[in-house]
Amino acid sequence: PQKHWVANWGFDKDDYVSDLYEQMGEDALTIGGYTDGIEINKFSADILVQTEYDTIKSELGEYFDFIEHGITPDVLQDEVKMSDPETVLGVVEIVPKGMSKAVGMEHVCELLGIPKEDCYAVGDSMNDLEMFEAAGHAIAMGNAMPAAKAAAEWVTTGIHEDGILNAMMHYGLI
């Protein structure tokens, strides 16, 4: 089974990380340092005021792509936000260069002989935008980020309101 490495420090008030540990059980392993044999396929981090984000991007940019959530020039110039070192300016997902949901989806479609127009992508976040472009039909969840909704062909109901079911019914897939 595949293991997932999660940092548990600094997340004592983060419901998402607590939920990850609960749902993944023994497959969620605490990061205790980087060692040989650990293959990183994605990691995400909060960008705080004190984060040297430009340095991180220049150091890792040759090997990784950065999917930014909320990290915009206006946020980085907001003096009120920049005065509090605990402020989360945004979140970044860091993935191996050239890898994305779109790449995976295109590969599967090629292997199975599925044309793009018969491919449906459902998403809710910035990391879904490239996949939306690669799919014949892009569907945003009702609780999706505004950028995902804007990029979608159709917006379904929220994740807790049977969004996937409603999307599949809307397109006559079930």
Side-chain angles (χ1 to χ4, degrees):
Q2 185 176 1
K3 301 294 184 185
H4 298 271
W5 299 86
V6 182
N8 68 349
W9 42 268
F11 293 110
D12 54 332
K13 296 177 184 165
D14 191 319
D15 292 336
Y16 176 75
V17 173
S18 298
D19 190 47
L20 268 178
Y21 272 103
E22 183 178 321
Q23 290 198 26
M24 294 175 64
E26 62 185 41
D27 289 332
L29 304 174
T30 302
I31 293 175
Y34 190 84
T35 61
D36 288 339
I38 297 175
E39 182 179 321
I40 296 175
N41 60 11
K42 172 184 165 180
F43 61 99
S44 54
D46 291 339
I47 302 302
L48 306 175
V49 170
Q50 69 266 26
T51 303
E52 295 182 25
Y53 187 52
D54 289 336
T55 301
I56 293 168
K57 284 178 79 169
S58 69
E59 294 275 332
L60 299 177
E62 181 179 345
Y63 309 102
F64 294 96
D65 288 325
F66 293 73
I67 303 168
E68 298 174 335
H69 301 258
I71 305 169
T72 59
D74 61 313
V75 169
L76 299 175
Q77 295 173 7
D78 185 323
E79 290 182 23
V80 174
K81 288 184 178 184
M82 297 302 284
S83 66
D84 179 3
E86 298 297 315
T87 297
V88 176
L89 300 174
V91 174
V92 64
E93 292 179 62
I94 303 172
V95 298
K97 191 68 94 176
M99 302 311 282
S100 69
K101 292 178 181 183
V103 170
M105 181 187 69
E106 289 169 338
H107 183 69
V108 168
C109 287
E110 182 180 320
L111 286 172
L112 299 175
I114 299 170
K116 177 180 178 173
E117 59 270 11
D118 290 338
C119 186
Y120 295 78
V122 181
D124 64 358
S125 190
M126 301 299 288
N127 64 9
D128 296 316
L129 299 181
E130 191 175 337
M131 177 180 65
F132 278 7
E133 290 178 25
H137 303 278
I139 305 160
M141 298 299 295
N143 55 298
M145 297 178 81
K149 287 181 176 180
E153 172 183 279
W154 191 68
V155 178
T156 185
T157 53
I159 192 167
H160 299 294
E161 289 84 36
D162 296 323
I164 301 287
L165 173 66
N166 291 327
M168 298 302 105
M169 289 171 52
H170 172 80
Y171 282 95
L173 299 173
I174 57 172

